[in-house]
Structures are given as C-alpha cells and as structure tokens.
Amino acid sequence: MIKNQQTVDIRNFYDEVPFDGDVLDSIQKTLQQQGETLLSLAAEFNKSQYLLALSLMFQCKGHVIICGMGKSGHVGRKISATLASTGTPSFFVHPAEAFHGDLGMITGDDVVILISNSGETDEILKLIPSLKHFGNRIIAITGGVQSTLAKNADAVLEIRMQSESCPNNLAPTTSTTLTMAIGDALASALMNKRHFMPNDFARFHPGGSLGRRLLTRLKDVMSSRLTQMAPESSLKDVIVGMTQDQHGIALVMDKGSLMGVITDGDLRRAMLRQDFDLNTFKAKDIMSHNPITASQHSMLNDAEDLMRERQIKQLLVVDDTNTPVGIVNFFN
C-alpha cells in the first residue's frame, strides 16, 4: 500500500500552469490552419498525378515500400501500416538503413514512395540511383515540385501549404498532417478500387473486435449449458431451473424436439393473466412458441445483427438437425 500519497486538486491545477490566455488561441489557430490547408489541398490537388500514383500502386506486383527520414519516416510507417491492413502489401524501409544493406529488401516488382517535404533530403536522394537501377517506379510525396526528388519521380504528390503551423515555421507540423492525409487518401481510393469490404478488413485484423465478429462462428463462442424442461413440468420446477440457469432461460423439450422457451418476460406475462395459478400451470402453458434460432455455423456478426433487429438479448443456437446445442448473449 502506498502511504502519504498526496491528492492533486484539479481545480487548483490551472493556477499553477505557466500559461496565459493566449495558449487557447494558439491551439485554435493551429487546428484551424491545418484544417484550412487540408481543405485547400482537397480543392486543388493534381488529379492526373494522383491517378498515375494509384495506377502504379494498384498494378504493383510486389510491395508498396515507403521511405522517409525523421518525422516523414514516422508518418511513412503509419501510411505503410494503413496500406498493409487494407489490401495493399506494404512495408517501411528506413532510407539510411537501406543505403547500408536494406536495399536487399527491395525487388524490381516493388513501387517505392519517397517522402520528403523539401525534396532534397540527402538520405532519400542517395536511394534514387539504386532504385532506378532495380527498375522501381517512384512516387514522391513532397512540397518541392521542382526538387531533385520530384524530377526523378514517376508521380509527384504535392504537399501544398504556405507554412508550418509551428510558431517558428520549423517543426514539421502541417506538412506531416498533409502527408498522412495523402497516405489515407491513397489507401481509401485503393480500397474502393479493390472493393475491399469489412470481411476483407477482418482477415487482416483477426485480433480486433471486428475481426472476431466477422470471422467467429457461433459454435466457437456459444455456451452449451442449457436448462431443459418437459412440457408437463410444474411452474415451480421451471422457476427453480431458470433461477439456477446462468442465462435465466428454460427450453421446453419434447422427445428431443424444441417446443418453446420460457424467459423472465414469459413468467411476468403469465403472472398478469387472470387465470394464473402457480400450482396448476405447466411449462407448456406459458412458453413462447417458435423461438428465434440460428445455426451453429452462423457468423457472430450475422447473429448480432439478427439479435439487434429482433430486439433480443439471447439467441438459441441449433445444429444441423435443429436441435438446440447452445446459447449466445448479446450485451451491446
């Protein structure tokens, strides 16, 4: 146990922060400036160059390789990850490491995207002779449309901006935002071209919630513990069985066939009947007929859609003979 721990009163925290009121204006200015620059790029981007770049990437028989130094490298890793997870095989190569051996990772079937705001980054330019020797097609993402990089690229995607949002116009800020947006735009366009659907996305994200729903079958997640009652079971036995059941539901079975189900709602509705009698009512008297079921081979995502549509929290799972084998719960 930690002793003598001081509790910080957040209400007094602002008085200790060495910022004046201009800090909020700075935040707003940065967000506004980057937003306006993105809108400007969307209105004025070179369509023919983007179509050329997309054509090169779509027809690539190898990988789309991303290279960038410094902050451009960090953004490049993100672009590569987005491409790889959305149907375009891709990986990032550090340009300095490439010049010292990692060029062996690149084949002639690869398309290489080189990122440099100035277009004159030394580590990037050093790669160009080797890439041309290999026969790689080069896409440049740069703010220097007349730069050395641009002149040696097959397609040039311009980072259009007047200045960085950094107060000194030095730190890569707006330029990295634009670069990342350009990468996202390329990935989205390729997804549309490939008709990349949620099922495809799930294949590359099996560990995520979407992948789980789209790739998992009900038989893999259902609970096989079921409470079964005969049609002539007394209501007292039904209540005891439902109370002990982890799902709070009883299946009414007759010679292995499902006749109906009894839920908490069925019990409540039965108790409101004028002829209700706890001592004489049987399971068959209060059960719901024709319960909603799903095959054990159904995908979890489809089952959740069904449960949402029918506004139910529990779904019976049946086998190929329509015999109940499990139940799934939906809590969302």
Side-chain angles (χ1 to χ4, degrees):
M1 178 181 295
I2 300 177
K3 298 181 179 180
N4 299 324
Q5 184 176 9
Q6 295 182 350
T7 301
V8 178
D9 189 345
I10 192 65
R11 292 172 297 181
N12 298 327
F13 181 72
Y14 298 108
D15 297 334
E16 301 176 8
V17 177
F19 289 143
D20 54 31
D22 292 339
V23 68
L24 295 179
D25 293 335
S26 175
I27 292 173
Q28 184 178 38
K29 182 180 178 180
T30 299
L31 295 174
Q32 184 174 354
Q33 190 259 356
Q34 295 200 17
E36 290 174 350
T37 305
L38 279 171
L39 291 175
S40 176
L41 176 63
E44 301 178 11
F45 69 97
N46 189 320
K47 296 179 177 59
S48 62
Q49 290 295 302
Y50 273 80
L51 289 175
L52 177 56
L54 287 170
S55 178
L56 293 173
M57 296 171 72
F58 184 74
Q59 297 181 53
C60 176
K61 298 183 183 301
H63 291 74
V64 174
I65 297 174
I66 317 292
C67 288
M69 278 296 296
K71 304 300 186 295
S72 293
H74 297 315
V75 173
R77 285 184 173 87
K78 188 274 178 187
I79 294 175
S80 177
T82 299
L83 289 171
S85 68
T86 54
T88 299
S90 176
F91 60 88
F92 176 84
V93 174
H94 193 286
E97 297 295 336
F99 198 66
H100 291 277
D102 281 1
L103 275 172
M105 302 168 66
I106 303 175
T107 71
D109 292 328
D110 299 325
V111 170
V112 182
I113 298 180
L114 301 178
I115 305 174
S116 169
N117 186 28
S118 67
E120 301 294 346
T121 305
D122 185 57
E123 292 87 349
I124 293 292
L125 298 184
K126 285 182 177 180
L127 298 179
I128 293 176
S130 295
L131 296 177
K132 288 188 174 294
H133 176 72
F134 296 156
N136 299 111
R137 307 303 292 271
I138 298 173
I139 299 171
I141 300 180
T142 179
V145 292
Q146 300 299 325
S147 65
T148 305
L149 172 58
K151 292 176 181 178
N152 285 276
D154 297 288
V156 179
L157 308 182
E158 183 182 3
I159 304 173
R160 296 176 60 91
M161 66 174 195
Q162 293 183 349
S163 65
E164 300 283 5
S165 54
C166 162
N168 299 313
N169 192 27
L170 295 174
T173 46
T174 303
S175 60
T176 50
T177 297
L178 289 171
T179 302
M180 188 172 295
I182 290 171
D184 288 342
L186 294 173
S188 296
L190 289 170
M191 289 175 67
N192 288 328
K193 180 66 176 177
R194 291 194 170 96
H195 304 291
F196 194 84
M197 303 303 290
N199 281 334
D200 300 308
F201 188 86
R203 288 191 296 113
F204 299 114
H205 299 77
S209 60
L210 176 63
R212 175 177 176 271
R213 296 198 306 272
L214 292 175
L215 299 178
T216 303
R217 299 187 184 278
L218 293 186
K219 65 180 181 179
D220 300 321
V221 295
M222 69 182 186
S223 170
S224 58
R225 293 181 57 184
L226 300 172
T227 297
Q228 300 185 13
M229 294 287 169
E232 298 297 328
S233 296
S234 69
L235 206 53
K236 291 183 179 179
D237 289 340
V238 170
I239 294 174
V240 171
M242 292 178 62
T243 301
Q244 296 175 345
D245 183 83
Q246 61 178 327
H247 308 292
I249 186 174
L251 279 61
V252 182
M253 305 289 294
D254 184 24
K255 298 179 181 179
S257 297
L258 178 65
M259 292 185 61
V261 297
I262 302 175
T263 65
D264 181 69
D266 293 315
L267 281 174
R268 293 174 184 270
R269 284 186 289 272
M271 294 176 65
L272 294 176
R273 290 170 49 178
Q274 293 183 348
D275 61 341
F276 175 75
D277 189 332
L278 180 63
N279 297 313
T280 61
F281 268 37
K282 307 296 183 183
K284 64 180 181 179
D285 298 322
I286 68 169
M287 69 180 185
S288 293
H289 297 270
N290 302 317
I292 300 171
T293 63
S295 167
Q296 62 180 342
H297 305 297
S298 298
M299 307 307 294
L300 180 58
N301 186 63
D302 294 332
E304 289 185 347
D305 289 342
L306 174 63
M307 296 167 76
R308 192 178 293 109
E309 175 186 346
R310 303 299 292 271
Q311 297 183 344
I312 57 176
K313 296 293 185 181
Q314 296 168 315
L315 181 64
L316 283 180
V317 182
V318 297
D319 62 14
D320 296 336
T321 65
N322 208 39
T323 301
V325 292
I327 188 171
V328 292
N329 294 294
F330 180 48
F331 298 106
N332 294 335

